[in-house]
Amino acid sequence: MPVPHLSTALHGPILDLENRIYNTKPLIEHWLRSKWREYSVPFYCSVDLRNSGFKLAPVDTNLFPGGFNNLNPEFIALCVQAVMTAVEKICPDAHSVLLIPENHTRNTFYLQNIASIRTIMQHAGLYVRIGTLLPEIKTATIFNLPDGQSITLEPIIRKNNKLSVENFDPCAVLLNNDLSNGVPEILQNLDQTILPPLHAGWATRRKSEHFKAYNTIADEFARLIDIDPWLINPYFASCGKINFREKKGEDCVANSTNKILGVIREKYREYSVKEDPFVIVKADSGTYGMGIMTVKDGAEVYQLNRKQRNKMAVVKEGMSVTNVLVQEGVYTFENINQAVAEPVIYMIDHFVVGGFYRVHTSRGIDENLNAPGMHFVPLSFEPDCLLPNNTKQQGLMPNRYYAYGVVARLALLAAALELQQTIH
């Protein structure tokens, strides 16, 4: 199992932050326990983190995580235990779950993720069948996967406001479909538990709402352990009524960019950071790394060529971008075999169950890594995330991973607050 070579020097703000988090572990864990009692957390979640050497912050939170097949297989047991806990809270008499995946059946890596989720649920003592929203699948259809596994997709049946597949009576529906294209009629007004809830999907969810909630959580956490909240929190603004192809709404994007760059420069001076500040402009909803660009001056927004405008104009499922998030860019100074890397932390219920490094050999330290050409290096995050090293030696990886686990759980907590605030 490769351990990433960290090009960040093990001194300065990030080490101070890691030490602060480690030294206040009892305080942090007590505070988090009180929060888990206060909020209903999403069933599962993945968080993209960036470690710049002077800042450790979440930059994206996904409530319908793919990629369970990229986790270290040794830690499937942790996933199973977390699922057991989650199911006990949500559906204590559950024995059957209907799993509904995304529609892209040609993506065999994604289908391996579905197979991994099915395996975890089965080990947790649940019957699992996989129902598909694809209209062309009219009978049970087997898909063989590159790793030797197979999954069977079955047409969904709706009866008495409950979903099932043939000869199956599920207690709950588990979505691994982020509803980018809207909520299909077949999923609406069900008398059945749906996990995560429908309003967690990109049909209604906005990244700006998530980071507003994260502001609240990060400020409270920063007061708890006496740190500058900026060390764990990226500045952001949101802009609506955008049409990149028609050059509409650009003033808001350019002005927000320059405003955020200004406050980042002040922080960089405060922390003696020599890098150039940048922002990431990205669609306010959606996944798969689409509709994203790096900007270092608001003027660049007006200078996009046609190809760049077209790239920014649509996201997954061909949906048009009308709202964007302008977010402080966080450098990543971590690398594996000289390739830029960022940690992605996975959680089920409120437990850290694993993670991996997203690695891209042709992207820079100030660019989005969720792009074609990326690969994944699984790491045994979980023990390291929860069991930091007790020695006095500074800069050890377990302490860093524990800090990752804490910041990821702050993002999870923000997602719980966000869902509570946006429920209809």
Side-chain angles (χ1 to χ4, degrees):
M1 189 66 61
V3 173
H5 166 69
L6 300 181
S7 59
T8 48
L10 291 173
H11 57 75
I14 203 69
L15 186 59
D16 294 342
L17 176 62
E18 286 171 12
N19 289 341
R20 188 76 186 149
I21 289 174
Y22 169 64
N23 290 330
T24 53
K25 183 182 179 185
L27 192 63
I28 290 170
E29 296 299 333
H30 176 265
W31 178 78
L32 283 170
R33 282 194 296 273
S34 72
K35 294 298 180 184
W36 305 138
R37 288 194 296 271
E38 189 177 339
Y39 295 105
S40 297
V41 296
F43 182 81
Y44 49 16
C45 174
S46 68
V47 177
D48 295 357
L49 298 177
R50 302 276 284 205
N51 179 355
S52 66
F54 51 86
K55 180 168 185 149
L56 172 62
V59 293
D60 217 352
T61 301
N62 187 358
L63 299 183
F64 300 86
F68 276 93
N69 53 309
N70 296 318
L71 300 183
N72 184 341
E74 293 175 24
F75 295 93
I76 292 299
L78 296 166
C79 298
V80 171
Q81 289 174 325
V83 166
M84 287 177 167
T85 300
V87 169
E88 281 173 17
K89 289 196 290 192
I90 298 157
C91 204
D93 58 346
H95 53 76
S96 303
V97 172
L98 180 66
L99 174 58
I100 300 180
E102 296 278 1
N103 289 342
H104 36 258
T105 52
R106 291 196 190 112
N107 185 338
T108 53
F109 292 111
Y110 173 73
L111 295 182
Q112 283 175 228
N113 156 69
I114 291 299
S116 297
I117 295 173
R118 176 194 62 187
T119 298
I120 291 165
M121 306 291 281
Q122 287 172 336
H123 282 310
L126 296 162
Y127 295 112
V128 183
R129 302 268 288 275
I130 305 170
T132 179
L133 297 170
L134 284 168
E136 61 265 31
I137 293 185
K138 302 190 186 313
T139 59
T141 305
I142 297 172
F143 289 81
N144 294 313
L145 305 179
D147 59 2
Q149 295 186 85
S150 66
I151 63 170
T152 301
L153 299 187
E154 303 180 67
I156 294 173
I157 301 165
R158 177 164 175 155
K159 186 177 179 182
N160 299 327
N161 288 336
K162 285 195 167 186
L163 299 186
S164 65
V165 291
E166 192 174 0
N167 298 321
F168 194 58
D169 184 22
C171 156
V173 174
L174 177 61
L175 292 176
N176 198 248
N177 182 312
D178 64 21
L179 307 176
S180 291
N181 216 7
V183 180
E185 193 174 342
I186 197 169
L187 293 179
Q188 296 176 21
N189 304 312
L190 292 172
D191 299 328
Q192 204 168 16
T193 300
I194 302 183
L195 305 168
L198 293 178
H199 73 286
W202 288 125
T204 50
R205 187 175 178 233
R206 294 291 175 267
K207 295 179 184 184
S208 50
E209 292 297 328
H210 173 74
F211 282 100
K212 279 180 197 169
Y214 186 77
N215 268 347
T216 301
I217 299 298
D219 285 351
E220 187 177 341
F221 179 79
R223 288 194 299 274
L224 178 78
I225 68 168
D226 193 24
I227 61 168
D228 180 351
W230 178 76
L231 294 172
I232 56 168
N233 192 6
Y235 292 119
F236 76 94
S238 59
C239 291
K241 299 181 179 176
I242 301 292
N243 187 321
F244 281 102
R245 285 187 175 130
E246 297 178 10
K247 301 187 178 183
K248 291 179 179 174
E250 289 181 328
D251 288 347
C252 177
V253 180
N255 292 337
S256 297
T257 294
N258 287 332
K259 186 176 178 182
I260 291 173
L261 288 170
V263 290
I264 300 172
R265 283 191 191 96
E266 291 177 19
K267 281 295 182 183
Y268 278 17
R269 280 193 289 271
E270 181 182 341
Y271 286 94
S272 302
V273 175
K274 300 293 190 286
E275 313 300 326
D276 290 330
F278 69 100
V279 303
I280 296 290
V281 178
K282 56 187 170 184
D284 204 9
S285 61
T287 52
Y288 293 95
M290 300 175 75
I292 296 180
M293 64 180 175
T294 300
V295 181
K296 294 191 175 181
D297 188 309
E300 295 173 27
V301 175
Y302 300 108
Q303 297 162 1
L304 300 179
N305 60 36
R306 182 181 295 180
K307 182 179 177 182
Q308 291 168 322
R309 290 181 185 283
N310 288 340
K311 185 181 172 188
M312 288 300 297
V314 295
V315 288
K316 183 185 165 198
E317 309 280 0
M319 300 299 288
S320 296
V321 174
T322 55
N323 296 273
V324 297
L325 183 75
V326 183
Q327 185 180 57
E328 173 186 350
V330 182
Y331 283 96
T332 179
F333 288 160
E334 297 184 284
N335 63 64
I336 295 177
N337 298 328
Q338 286 72 57
V340 177
E342 66 185 6
V344 184
I345 307 295
Y346 274 62
M347 288 158 286
I348 296 175
D349 197 77
H350 63 271
F351 301 101
V352 175
V353 295
F356 50 78
Y357 272 87
R358 180 185 287 121
V359 184
H360 208 299
T361 55
S362 58
R363 289 284 173 121
I365 58 176
D366 61 352
E367 292 183 287
N368 166 50
L369 303 187
N370 187 3
M374 63 184 167
H375 66 277
F376 307 99
V377 177
L379 287 167
S380 50
F381 271 102
E382 209 281 344
D384 291 339
C385 281
L386 296 181
L387 297 175
N389 198 293
N390 283 315
T391 70
K392 297 294 184 185
Q393 188 178 345
Q394 304 239 312
L396 292 170
M397 288 306 294
N399 292 7
R400 177 150 299 174
Y401 291 160
Y402 177 68
Y404 288 170
V406 169
V407 175
R409 284 183 287 167
L410 296 182
L412 173 70
L413 185 53
L417 174 59
E418 168 201 355
L419 292 183
Q420 184 185 85
Q421 291 174 335
T422 56
I423 192 167
H424 300 300

